[in-house]
Amino acid sequence: MSKQQRITPCLWFDRDAEDAASFYTSLFPHARINHVARYAAGEGDVEGYVKYGHFSLGGETFIAMDSGLDHNFTFNEAISFEVACTSQPQIDHLWEHLTAGGEEQPCGWLKDRFGVSWQIEPLVLQTYLNDPDPERTARVMRAFLQMTKVDIPTLTRAYEGHGD
């Protein structure tokens, strides 16, 4: 049985909706562009621009919109998408592609070339930070705070007491 998504993120791009959706769906498994509706002549925006498009990443639906009109807003870090990764190669792959033309930020955060903020983090980080041993969690947090791209082996060494 498929679940019905009740809340769907909508991303309003400045003329880049189709490029962004194509880019994102190329990076994630179980991803695809589901539908694209374009402005027709006389609809109040630039003919051919994406009025709205639906795309899916990992089974979750997103909406992308374009505008040929000037607007006074853009993306910022107040909203980000957290990607829980199961391996270092997955982190490396996403980091390499999402930072291309974008910006690396501390603690697994980045801004992609479209200005969208992402948190690329390993699932194991929550396990380490939820450990009842405060010394372990402090070591992991110290290591984590030194990182831009998150490195699972470094976190594991800190967790096991081999990194200080």
Side-chain angles (χ1 to χ4, degrees), residues 3 18 27 30-31 41 45 63 67 73 90 101 115 120 128 130 135 153:
K3 69 173 184 155
E18 193 162 17
L27 295 179
H30 312 292
D45 210 314
I63 297 171
S67 178
F73 55 85
Q90 185 183 22
I120 309 301
Y128 291 167
N130 289 325
E135 289 179 23

Side-chain angles (χ1 to χ4, degrees), residues 68-116:
L69 307 174
D70 289 329
H71 47 74
N72 295 342
F73 55 85
T74 186
F75 300 112
N76 65 46
E77 295 83 355
I79 298 290
S80 64
F81 296 107
E82 183 175 313
V83 182
C85 298
T86 57
S87 68
Q88 191 65 46
Q90 185 183 22
I91 290 171
D92 296 343
H93 171 76
L94 291 173
W95 193 265
E96 175 187 350
H97 293 285
L98 287 169
T99 59
E103 175 185 332
E104 294 185 3
Q105 297 176 330
C107 301
W109 285 65
L110 64 88
K111 196 178 275 196
D112 70 25
R113 69 182 188 225
F114 303 104
V116 175

Side-chain angles (χ1 to χ4, degrees), residues 1-2 33 35-36 44 49 60 68 70-71 89 102-103 106 112-113 116 137 140 143-144 146 152 155:
M1 174 192 322
S2 67
I33 295 175
H35 176 74
V36 177
Y49 275 41
E60 299 297 323
D70 289 329
H71 47 74
E103 175 185 332
D112 70 25
R113 69 182 188 225
V116 175
T137 59
V140 171
F144 177 64
Q146 299 300 311
I152 296 172
L155 292 176

